[in-house]
């Protein structure tokens, strides 16, 4: 039933409206307690969980190859803790080339930007 609905929607909307490119930021994330290192990808305006934190990327960009390498992202990071009460621990720009300029200061977690790229979401759904 859901598949039929999805196919109907695809047929009704022009391909140009469906194939909009979206920015995706790649983050490095470290849990200092367990020493577990992860790579996290966050699509614009979506939220992902890392430990007790929720990370939302609002926008990101990268310099073209002919310029000095740099990726930046505007992130909002909320720590829910074990009580589930939201506590904003970071809101601002993070820079891949200078993580210490604007960094997350947290007792348990480190998060940093490694890359930003633009992806076409329809390209990944075609392979399914």
């Amino acid at each position: 039933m859901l598949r039929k609905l999805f196919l109907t929607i695809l047929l009704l909307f022009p391909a140009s409206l469906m194939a909009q490119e979206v920015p995706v930021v790649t983050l490095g994330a470290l849990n200092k307690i367990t020493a577990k290192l992860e790579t996290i990808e966050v699509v614009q305006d979506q939220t992902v969980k890392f430990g007790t934190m929720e990370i939302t990327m609002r926008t990101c960009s990268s310099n073209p190859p002919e310029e000095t390498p740099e990726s930046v992202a505007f992130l909002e990071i909320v720590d829910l803790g074990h009580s589930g009460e939201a506590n904003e621990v970071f809101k601002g720009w993070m820079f891949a080339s200078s993580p210490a300029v604007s960094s997350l200061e947290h007792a348990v977690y480190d998060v940093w930007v490694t890359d930003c790229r633009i992806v076409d979401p329809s390209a990944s759904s075609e392979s399914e």
Side-chain angles (χ1 to χ4, degrees), residues 3 28 32 36 51 55 60 75 98 119 121:
R3 186 173 220 164
K32 298 178 200 175
K36 185 175 181 184
I55 304 168
C60 74
L75 301 174
S98 305
V119 297

Side-chain angles (χ1 to χ4, degrees), residues 51-82:
T52 61
M53 298 192 312
E54 292 183 342
I55 304 168
T56 307
M57 185 266 294
R58 297 298 176 197
T59 189
C60 74
S61 66
S62 284
N63 285 349
E66 62 272 5
E67 293 183 18
T68 305
E70 180 64 283
S71 292
V72 299
F74 190 86
L75 301 174
E76 296 173 356
I77 304 175
V78 174
D79 188 3
L80 300 175
H82 296 291

Side-chain angles (χ1 to χ4, degrees), residues 27-32 38 40 48-56 73-80 87-96 98-113:
L27 304 172
L30 171 68
N31 181 323
K32 298 178 200 175
E38 291 187 33
I40 302 169
V48 298
K49 286 190 64 87
F50 174 67
T52 61
M53 298 192 312
E54 292 183 342
I55 304 168
T56 307
F74 190 86
L75 301 174
E76 296 173 356
I77 304 175
V78 174
D79 188 3
L80 300 175
N87 178 28
E88 187 176 88
V89 292
F90 183 86
K91 184 175 185 176
W93 292 95
M94 278 192 186
F95 302 86
S98 305
V101 169
S102 180
S103 62
L104 169 70
E105 294 182 20
H106 194 276
V108 179
Y109 304 107
D110 279 343
V111 175
W112 62 93
V113 172

